[in-house]
Amino acid sequence: MTSTTRKGRRAAVSTTDLALIATFAALIAVCAIMPAVNTGSGTPFTLQMFGIFLAGATLGATRGFLAVVLYLAVGTAGLPIFTQGAAGPATWAGVTGGYLLAFPLAALLVGLVAARVARSKPARFVVIVSVVAAIVTIAVVGTLGTLGMAWKLDVSLRVAWGYATPFFVYDIIKGVLAAVVAASVHRAFPQLTARR
Amino acid sequence: MSPELISAYRPGSTLLHRIPAGPKLGLLAAYGVVTVVATGPWTAIGFLAFSLALVVWVRIPWRTAVRALRPLLLVVVLVTAFQVWQRGWPAAIHVVGDLLALFVAALVFTATTRIDALLDAIVRGLGPFRRVGVDPEKVALAFSLMIGAIPGVMTIARETRDAAKARGLERDPRALLVPMAIRTVAHAYDTGAALHARGIGDD
């Protein structure tokens, strides 16, 4: 049923890949809506960004990117799986639209590096992936988030950047967590990075 | 403890309920463009009044609407204060009015559109991309697999959290998250195997 369009060519996304993509999209959803972990600081703390980094660090660039896109599509369609139980196009219309746009790119970039490192330098996986996730947090997530806020709120980029920076610390920690967890997942499932 | 996944969709028979999901999303996008193009405090008030009229028309209870606006509330207060301080009332009304108008219109979209109607529209819209290797049937399968996987993953998350708590490690992120991730990947491979067993697969 799914193979009829592909005329014997190997599908770019196999059935196992499809299951991994869909399950990680569900994992990101659960991370975003699970009751916030109590950080003791009063900041709403969900694991959404952890789930996004984990998808990239575990599945690699293509599958990680598709998992995040799938999560965004189903959330936009109305299933309340964005943070704070939000859903629908309203989340894009609000001030956080730039962040949503950054999520698939974050998984893609982290996945690009993670898949390579998992094969070539597994011993340094955690360090390298953490650093890449931190760079992506500031350069991609922070930048697109800032642009989105500056545009929607009609404030200068400097002011919007000021709004965005308090979240960097948390997102960098979530990137390190994702790297640590992904390293364990790769040890348990070496087939995740096997070349097909 | 477990968050409930209740869609904001409200059945009804207004014109907005009957417009197909794809064109309706197009209308919402067009509305977004219009709010960007038209500037000034009075147009913003007009847009907001129009969006609120839509809320009344499709009969979204006020309590639901207010709850959906909650995540935006803090931002609205802060930005209003900031804009009033920096550029005065008219600019503040323009910025916040447009923001709220579009946000509320998007809430109306979600309240009048079934989730599967929009997902079906996406799958149909992907048809022309078959040529470049996109497989709409696979996308449709991914949608249903993902929605179906959420309860399972939620159970995994809850069980691993309870397990960590039982070991006194509920503050150790590794004890919480490593088993959750590993069990989730195992769940995914099981799903893949189940799909193969049902003859859905090409590898």
Side-chain angles (χ1 to χ4, degrees):
Chain A
M1 131 173 153
T2 53
S3 59
T4 48
T5 55
R6 308 219 136 249
K7 304 209 169 61
R9 213 156 31 103
R10 186 173 209 139
V13 176
S14 75
T15 311
T16 310
D17 288 341
L18 194 67
L20 282 166
I21 291 165
T23 312
F24 266 82
L27 179 65
I28 299 169
V30 171
C31 284
I33 58 177
M34 260 200 317
V37 178
N38 184 13
T39 52
S41 65
T43 315
F45 182 95
T46 74
L47 289 169
Q48 184 188 40
M49 209 57 224
F50 163 80
I52 286 157
F53 282 138
L54 185 69
T58 307
L59 301 182
T62 311
R63 292 177 297 185
F65 174 81
L66 290 175
V68 179
V69 170
L70 179 59
Y71 163 71
L72 293 177
V74 173
T76 304
L79 200 68
I81 51 175
F82 293 144
T83 47
Q84 296 182 282
T91 316
W92 294 89
V95 288
T96 51
Y99 286 100
L100 296 191
L101 200 61
F103 290 162
L105 292 177
L108 180 85
L109 294 172
V110 169
L112 215 56
V113 175
R116 241 154 253 214
V117 176
R119 272 196 293 266
S120 59
K121 303 188 196 75
R124 308 188 61 187
F125 182 88
V126 174
V127 176
I128 295 175
V129 173
S130 301
V131 170
V132 171
I135 294 170
V136 167
T137 296
I138 294 170
V140 178
V141 182
T143 303
L144 284 178
T146 300
L147 287 174
M149 281 199 282
W151 181 53
K152 293 302 292 190
L153 304 179
D154 206 8
V155 294
S156 70
L157 286 176
R158 204 171 48 82
V159 172
W161 185 256
Y163 292 155
T165 37
F167 300 103
F168 286 171
V169 181
Y170 292 105
D171 285 348
I172 288 171
I173 294 170
K174 288 172 207 173
V176 175
L177 267 180
V180 170
V181 173
S184 301
V185 174
H186 281 302
R187 277 194 293 275
F189 297 95
Q191 65 266 45
L192 277 167
T193 46
R195 282 182 198 278
R196 285 191 285 131
Chain B
M1 161 95 204
S2 70
E4 286 174 61
L5 283 180
I6 298 171
S7 158
Y9 173 68
R10 305 192 66 81
S13 56
T14 64
L15 179 63
L16 279 179
H17 282 90
R18 281 174 291 155
I19 301 177
K24 207 193 299 179
L25 195 58
L27 284 178
L28 181 64
Y31 187 50
V33 172
V34 170
T35 60
V36 169
V37 173
T39 52
W42 290 109
T43 53
I45 291 173
F47 289 135
L48 187 54
F50 174 72
S51 295
L52 291 175
L54 293 180
V55 169
V56 176
W57 182 27
V58 302
R59 298 214 186 104
I60 303 175
W62 288 108
R63 190 184 293 192
T64 313
V66 169
R67 196 179 317 133
L69 279 168
R70 216 172 35 193
L72 211 58
L73 219 60
L74 181 67
V75 176
V76 164
V77 172
L78 288 176
V79 170
T80 309
F82 181 81
Q83 292 286 7
V84 170
W85 170 53
Q86 285 283 315
R87 307 190 331 203
W89 275 107
I93 291 172
H94 165 57
V95 170
V96 176
D98 278 359
L99 179 71
L100 282 176
L102 193 59
F103 192 84
V104 170
L107 292 180
V108 170
F109 175 91
T110 303
T112 57
T113 314
R114 287 201 331 276
I115 292 171
D116 53 327
L118 185 57
L119 293 180
D120 286 349
I122 294 175
V123 170
R124 266 199 310 280
L126 287 174
F129 295 97
R130 230 179 250 283
R131 203 154 313 176
V132 292
V134 176
D135 186 343
E137 286 82 13
K138 236 175 204 174
V139 175
L141 180 61
F143 284 149
S144 58
L145 279 179
M146 185 238 168
I147 294 172
I150 291 174
V153 175
M154 217 181 262
T155 307
I156 290 174
R158 197 173 309 134
E159 285 177 2
T160 46
R161 181 179 285 195
D162 289 346
K165 204 178 274 180
R167 290 157 65 205
L169 295 174
E170 72 264 35
R171 291 209 144 267
D172 178 355
R174 273 216 309 203
L176 282 168
L177 299 174
V178 171
M180 176 171 97
I182 286 180
R183 283 185 57 192
T184 301
V185 175
H187 185 74
Y189 277 115
D190 286 350
T191 308
L195 290 172
H196 271 292
R198 283 158 183 77
I200 304 168
D202 40 17
D203 54 319

